[in-house]
Structure formats: C-alpha cells, structure tokens
Amino acid sequence: MSLFTYRARLSETSKTHPIYDADTVRLVADLGFGLLSELGPCRLYGIDAPEMRGADRPAGIAARDFLRALIAPGQWFTIRTFRDEKGKYGRYLCEIILADGTNVNELLVESGHAVTREY
C-alpha cells in the first residue's frame, strides 16, 4: 500500500457541507507550487461511523457534529492518502492529522463516534 502526505483543507466548492458524515469528507489537497486539487468525497481510512439514515441516524448526527467541531472551514491540516486503495464507492481513503498532531480517525474511535474497520 502506497502512502502519500499532503496539506489539505475542507472543500468550499460544494453546495452542501464538506463533512457529510463522520467518515466521509470533501477535501482540497495542496499539491505545492500554488496548485490545489479537489479530491471530492474522501473516506476516512480504518474507521466506520454510524450512518445518517435509519436507526443509526441519532448516533450519525452526533458523530458528524463531533467531526465538524474538530475541523473549521479554511483550517489547514495534514492528510495521508492511500494510493490504489479505493473504497467500494470509489472514494480516496485518507487519515486526517490536525496541526497539534491529533489523528482525527483515531480520535473518532477513542471518543466512541466510530469503530475500527479493516479494508
């Protein structure tokens, strides 16, 4: 599995919030030299959060809101993407690491808003 690291932020081009649920976010990656790339919907690697529909909806909303409180619009952070590893919906797989070193994927699991998931 190949691993790449980029500076990134939440996308601002979508009409909907860039954090749909606690394991799907829309990101923009800084490729350097002033080049930005819209990655589209990205799946947070190694976790599974409650769905926004059905019986899991209340837990899904709580998990999504927890994630939204962690990442402010326009805030830059680090992502680690996994090359040639696509989820079943064709999204990039990534980890989000905040400026203070917090791994958001791990924090979602530690806080009870997600569970670890093998791919």
Side-chain angles (χ1 to χ4, degrees), residues 22-89:
D23 56 20
T24 306
V25 297
R26 296 184 73 83
L27 299 175
V28 173
D30 181 350
L31 304 178
F33 305 104
L35 299 173
L36 300 178
S37 177
E38 288 279 341
L39 299 181
C42 298
R43 171 79 182 197
L44 297 188
Y45 181 74
I47 69 168
D48 192 25
E51 296 300 321
M52 296 298 293
R53 298 181 185 156
D56 288 343
R57 183 170 170 73
I61 290 171
R64 178 202 63 197
D65 291 348
F66 179 83
L67 181 57
R68 285 182 177 180
L70 287 175
I71 305 172
Q75 172 186 348
W76 289 98
F77 45 82
T78 300
I79 59 169
R80 285 188 276 220
T81 62
F82 298 87
R83 184 176 179 199
D84 297 329
E85 292 287 332
K86 297 274 190 162
K88 67 180 179 179
Y89 299 108

